[in-house]
Amino acid sequence: CAPERAPPARPRPRVETFRCVASGRNVLEGLALHRDVVTPAEEAELIAFVRGECARGRAGDLKKPTYLRAKGERSRGNARESLMYGGFFDFNRARPGKRGIVPPLPPPI
């Protein structure tokens, strides 16, 4: 048996917190920006995955609700697209949707 090799050590992510006091209370308490969490290679892979999935959705290869695109009179000027894997959120009702109607999370995520 060969000894197990530990994955290469990553630098510890930088965390930036925020503060905004309104009415004596920090309304941004708990909000944190984590930098350097993914490597540039992982970031490129994720961006390529999302762009590819959006292209598949526009082409009709992904069905609702996995791929959603804002359209209609209320969405004029809004080019928002949504990809949902692992869990569905019903934007019209502002709550989680039915379970099991979207595919599980794909490997890049």
Side-chain angles (χ1 to χ4, degrees):
C1 289
E4 287 188 36
R5 292 187 179 170
R10 288 178 129 173
R12 196 174 172 111
R14 295 178 304 174
V15 178
E16 187 177 340
T17 58
F18 302 89
R19 182 172 174 80
C20 177
V21 178
S23 300
R25 185 168 181 237
N26 180 12
V27 295
L28 299 179
E29 184 177 355
L31 180 65
L33 173 62
H34 296 264
R35 297 183 186 271
D36 304 325
V37 174
V38 297
T39 66
E42 291 168 333
E43 179 182 350
E45 180 184 8
L46 287 169
I47 290 170
F49 171 77
V50 169
R51 286 183 175 154
E53 293 298 281
C54 284
R56 285 183 59 209
R58 285 183 223 115
D61 296 338
L62 294 176
K63 303 299 180 202
K64 287 182 179 179
T66 303
Y67 173 80
L68 299 172
R69 184 175 190 157
K71 57 184 170 186
E73 184 65 29
R74 293 177 57 198
S75 301
R76 188 179 302 172
N78 184 352
R80 178 180 57 225
E81 297 172 277
S82 298
L83 291 170
M84 293 194 218
Y85 291 97
F88 171 65
F89 186 84
D90 188 340
F91 289 100
N92 292 328
R93 295 190 173 118
R95 64 179 179 172
K98 295 178 183 174
R99 293 180 187 264
I101 62 174
V102 295
L105 290 172
I109 298 175

